[in-house]
Amino acid sequence: MLTLVMKMERIVWQGLLYDFYGELLTERQRHIYEDVVFNDLSLSEIAREEGVTRQGVHDLVRRCDRILEGYEEKLRLVETFQKTKEFAGRIQELLDEYERGQKKECLRLARELAGKIMEI
């Protein structure tokens, strides 16, 4: 079960990296990467379709992973997106609390979170 959860987390991470940086890959890299990660095709199926070896497909996917992770290390767009999403969610919670009458503290915290978003 844990392995399945880890695999799902890996796929979500790959999807996020691809959403942010996929356009920076070559067209061929994008095509093969999408087939493996999103279309769940086997390496053998892709190798047959592309006229390359299974190992060649495996190497290309790993290279794409490293490229995408390298972009994230340098640019931190996914990290920034996730932080912003977290802060926005907390602001929504504070607005709900505000409506229930806890006004002053909610406004102070919402302003603080908005300030953090502005710093990102």
Side-chain angles (χ1 to χ4, degrees):
M1 179 70 169
L2 184 59
T3 306
L4 179 60
V5 170
M6 290 172 38
K7 183 175 181 176
M8 293 299 292
E9 288 174 357
R10 177 76 184 152
I11 291 170
V12 169
W13 177 244
Q14 287 175 307
L16 277 171
L17 289 176
Y18 186 82
D19 285 346
F20 279 87
Y21 307 113
E23 288 298 314
L24 299 173
L25 298 173
T26 68
E27 187 175 330
R28 184 167 192 265
Q29 288 171 327
R30 282 194 311 271
H31 173 71
I32 291 174
Y33 196 80
E34 287 173 3
D35 279 348
V36 170
V37 176
F38 302 118
N39 301 329
D40 200 28
L41 297 179
S42 73
L43 299 180
S44 298
E45 290 173 306
I46 297 166
R48 224 179 359 264
E49 181 182 301
E50 295 293 322
V52 296
T53 65
R54 183 187 176 286
Q55 184 63 46
V57 173
H58 178 270
D59 292 346
L60 185 138
V61 171
R62 295 300 148 239
R63 187 169 41 253
C64 288
D65 281 337
R66 283 193 307 274
I67 289 169
L68 296 173
E69 288 171 3
Y71 287 135
E72 176 59 14
E73 284 178 26
K74 291 177 179 100
L75 301 172
R76 299 281 184 215
L77 296 177
V78 175
E79 178 184 324
T80 300
F81 169 75
Q82 290 177 320
K83 281 182 184 177
T84 303
K85 191 174 171 182
E86 179 185 326
F87 291 151
R90 182 62 182 128
I91 289 171
Q92 285 180 326
E93 291 171 6
L94 290 168
L95 291 172
D96 290 342
E97 290 175 29
Y98 179 87
E99 287 178 344
R100 288 192 298 268
Q102 301 162 347
K103 297 186 187 294
K104 270 192 170 183
E105 183 64 8
C106 291
L107 287 176
R108 184 188 70 73
L109 290 171
R111 282 190 180 101
E112 184 179 311
L113 287 170
K116 287 182 180 182
I117 290 172
M118 296 299 291
E119 292 172 5
I120 294 178

